Amino acid sequence: MTLGAKRPDCGRTDLLGVGEPVDGAEQGPPAAARVGCNPAPATHSTRVVVPITAIVKPVRGQHPRLALGLATRAVDLTGWKPWGRTTPPAPAHPQSASTTAGARDEAKIRETWGDGRIGTLAVALSGERQSTVAWKSGAAGEAEVGRTLDAIASEHVVVFHDRRIPRSRANIDHIVITRAGVWVIDAKRYRNKRPRLQVEGGLFRPRTEKLIVGGDRTKLVDGVLLQVALVQDVVAPASVRGVLCFVDADWPLFGGSFTVRGIDVCWPRRLSRQLTALEGAVDVTAVAAAIAAHFPPA
């Protein structure tokens, strides 16, 4: 059986071979009749739904990995052409890093599987790259923490979101200035995973503290410590604390928040209560102006 065989009776291109039975199907009329193809080209249906076994069978021999993915999918080939996607290219516009990365991934897939139907199916079956999924998840976490912080903003509580670190591509998720000091907040979204403190060493070895969230995430602490140092240089002598705020984590009903290497680890609602309960003598207006001048919007 050949892929993309031309139907002489209706002028259509289908995945089914002429006269060949589909796995598990009874012998019957020709394949053209089975897919609803009328003899008259002007009246045939434009919707082509191909039994999945008709695709898996010819693919299985040469491309077993793709066949395995196809075996669990229902494929609607309406509007598909042998040369791939049929939609016209979108107008040129600035692309985000995730869009560019996705285009590179598709190019690599097509290098392996080609530009025909097999390549298009491989692109459709391939999931988003991990960095893209992580970016979307992180953005959702930032948005939720941002809404919680905006709810407590006042003349004594100034909130900044998404501030760029000079001479760097990195940014600070949130900065909050209160009378008690400055908080540098990094929002993270780890769904259904419980943050916990793991302490190692002690009597005969140096004591080390690790952040565990479904695995060792101590690098997150290192990142916040660096941001705290950068903000401290700008607002000294005002004190600066770092916070890792986890969204959608598996927090216990009682307790749960902790401090690792001087960085507070908590959830949005607890963070907002903590910020509004503190008092001090910091000049909120002056400190906010200094931060806004040094860390512009990203």
Side-chain angles (χ1 to χ4, degrees), residues 97-115:
S98 59
T99 302
T100 303
R104 288 198 300 266
D105 289 347
E106 179 175 341
K108 290 181 180 179
I109 293 172
R110 291 194 179 277
E111 285 180 5
T112 303
W113 302 104
D115 293 328

Side-chain angles (χ1 to χ4, degrees), residues 89-150:
H93 60 83
Q95 293 183 320
S96 66
S98 59
T99 302
T100 303
R104 288 198 300 266
D105 289 347
E106 179 175 341
K108 290 181 180 179
I109 293 172
R110 291 194 179 277
E111 285 180 5
T112 303
W113 302 104
D115 293 328
R117 282 198 178 100
I118 299 297
T120 304
L121 288 170
V123 171
L125 292 175
S126 64
E128 290 181 295
R129 61 164 37 202
Q130 184 177 1
S131 60
T132 302
V133 175
W135 179 86
K136 290 181 179 179
S137 177
E142 287 184 36
E144 181 167 341
V145 174
R147 288 191 295 269
T148 302
L149 296 177
D150 286 341

Side-chain angles (χ1 to χ4, degrees), residues 211-234:
L211 173 63
I212 307 298
V213 192
D216 190 349
R217 309 295 179 187
T218 309
K219 287 185 178 180
L220 299 179
V221 179
D222 296 334
V224 177
L225 287 172
L226 176 59
Q227 294 178 5
V228 167
L230 294 173
V231 175
Q232 184 70 76
D233 289 341
V234 176

Side-chain angles (χ1 to χ4, degrees), residues 49-95:
V49 179
V50 180
I52 197 65
T53 53
I55 305 174
V56 175
K57 182 177 179 180
V59 171
R60 185 185 298 131
Q62 295 181 349
H63 309 295
R65 288 185 300 167
L66 181 59
L68 179 63
L70 286 170
T72 61
R73 305 294 182 99
V75 179
D76 184 352
L77 297 180
T78 302
W80 282 22
K81 301 296 183 183
W83 51 86
R85 296 183 176 178
T86 60
T87 54
H93 60 83
Q95 293 183 320

Side-chain angles (χ1 to χ4, degrees), residues 236-273:
S239 64
V240 181
R241 289 191 65 86
V243 179
L244 275 166
C245 190
F246 286 93
V247 176
D248 292 337
D250 179 28
W251 292 104
L253 292 177
F254 302 99
S257 62
F258 57 90
T259 300
V260 51
R261 294 172 55 191
I263 301 300
D264 297 328
V265 180
C266 61
W267 54 95
R269 188 169 297 180
R270 179 177 177 83
L271 174 62
S272 65
R273 291 198 302 264

